[in-house]
Amino acid sequence: MKRYDAIKKIVESLNDEFIVCNLGAPSRELYNIKDRDENFYMLGSMGLVSSISFGLAISKPNKKVICIDGDGSLLMNLGSLTTIANNNPQNLTLVVIDNSSYGSTGDQKTYTSQKTNLEVIAKGAGFESNIVINREENIIPSLKNLGTGTHFVLIKVDPGNAQVENVPLQPQELKERFMKVIST
Ligand SMILES: [Mg+2]
């Protein structure tokens, strides 16, 4: 399975959750699989998608928030895991799609291809709900089974980006669209 296949299954498992998506290829893939007003595509600030998702989750406690992060991005902002786990918002699922590479910049290998295990790091940070998914067919049942809580979901995939169009939304347009949907 590649990242594109994983995102497709994530989208199929959702109802009206907000998604905040890691920048670059993941956002392009999500946009092309299913654009919706509830999607926010990061256009910069690499590493901060989990922090932004956390902020959204605590400010909208009655709405579920799905963060789609990547291994390279999360490795830049590991401190975010401790903030999220200790504050324990009951409506946040952090999905890390781990392809052991910096997919958007040419598939240079990350340290998850060597000794680093993000699931162990998440447990150490204090996440009490941890899931590792290796098979595509397990994504929908695993995500649908999650109740309230702060969940860490690691999906292991092969490197490789789908050849899809760029997100055509301008930053201002994207910001305003998302602000509108989170205000209702
Ligand atoms: Mg990656």
Side-chain angles (χ1 to χ4, degrees):
M1 137 175 77
K2 292 194 177 175
R3 185 204 306 108
Y4 184 88
D5 309 307
I7 294 176
K8 201 157 183 285
K9 294 295 179 193
I10 293 167
V11 167
E12 285 173 27
S13 77
L14 298 182
N15 297 310
D16 62 347
E17 294 90 335
F18 295 133
I19 302 180
V20 187
C21 187
N22 190 23
L23 79 172
S27 276
R28 287 198 295 277
E29 292 177 0
L30 174 61
Y31 177 86
N32 282 276
I33 289 164
K34 189 175 185 182
D35 182 42
R36 52 208 266 288
D37 290 351
E38 291 84 359
N39 293 0
F40 185 79
Y41 309 104
M42 296 287 290
L43 298 171
S45 307
M46 180 171 173
L48 292 179
V49 67
S50 58
S51 302
I52 290 170
S53 301
F54 169 66
L56 180 63
I58 57 173
S59 62
K60 291 283 164 190
N62 296 320
K63 188 93 175 186
K64 284 194 177 166
V65 177
I66 309 292
C67 174
I68 299 180
D69 206 348
D71 51 309
S73 162
L74 184 59
L75 286 169
M76 291 181 73
N77 186 21
L78 289 174
S80 178
L81 292 173
T82 61
T83 306
I84 294 170
N86 283 280
N87 286 279
N88 201 27
Q90 292 302 293
N91 57 334
L92 179 59
T93 300
L94 173 53
V95 180
V96 180
I97 303 180
D98 182 359
N99 58 5
S100 298
S101 67
Y102 294 100
S104 298
T105 58
D107 282 333
Q108 300 89 350
K109 287 189 180 310
T110 68
Y111 285 131
T112 68
S113 70
Q114 297 182 39
K115 297 179 180 175
T116 300
N117 183 326
L118 290 171
E119 190 215 3
V120 174
I121 292 174
K123 276 185 186 158
F127 277 78
E128 288 163 357
S129 165
N130 297 277
I131 301 174
V132 178
I133 300 174
N134 293 293
R135 297 167 68 92
E136 195 176 333
E137 59 268 32
N138 293 342
I139 294 175
I140 292 178
S142 298
L143 294 182
K144 279 189 178 289
N145 253 340
L146 297 175
T148 54
T150 309
H151 307 290
F152 182 85
V153 178
L154 185 69
I155 305 179
K156 296 292 291 184
V157 302
D158 297 322
N161 307 318
Q163 297 305 309
V164 291
E165 299 300 311
N166 282 331
V167 177
L169 301 165
Q170 292 302 307
Q172 183 82 13
E173 194 182 350
L174 176 58
K175 183 188 87 168
E176 285 168 3
R177 183 180 85 160
F178 196 66
M179 284 177 71
K180 192 173 168 192
V181 77
I182 64 175
S183 309
T184 53

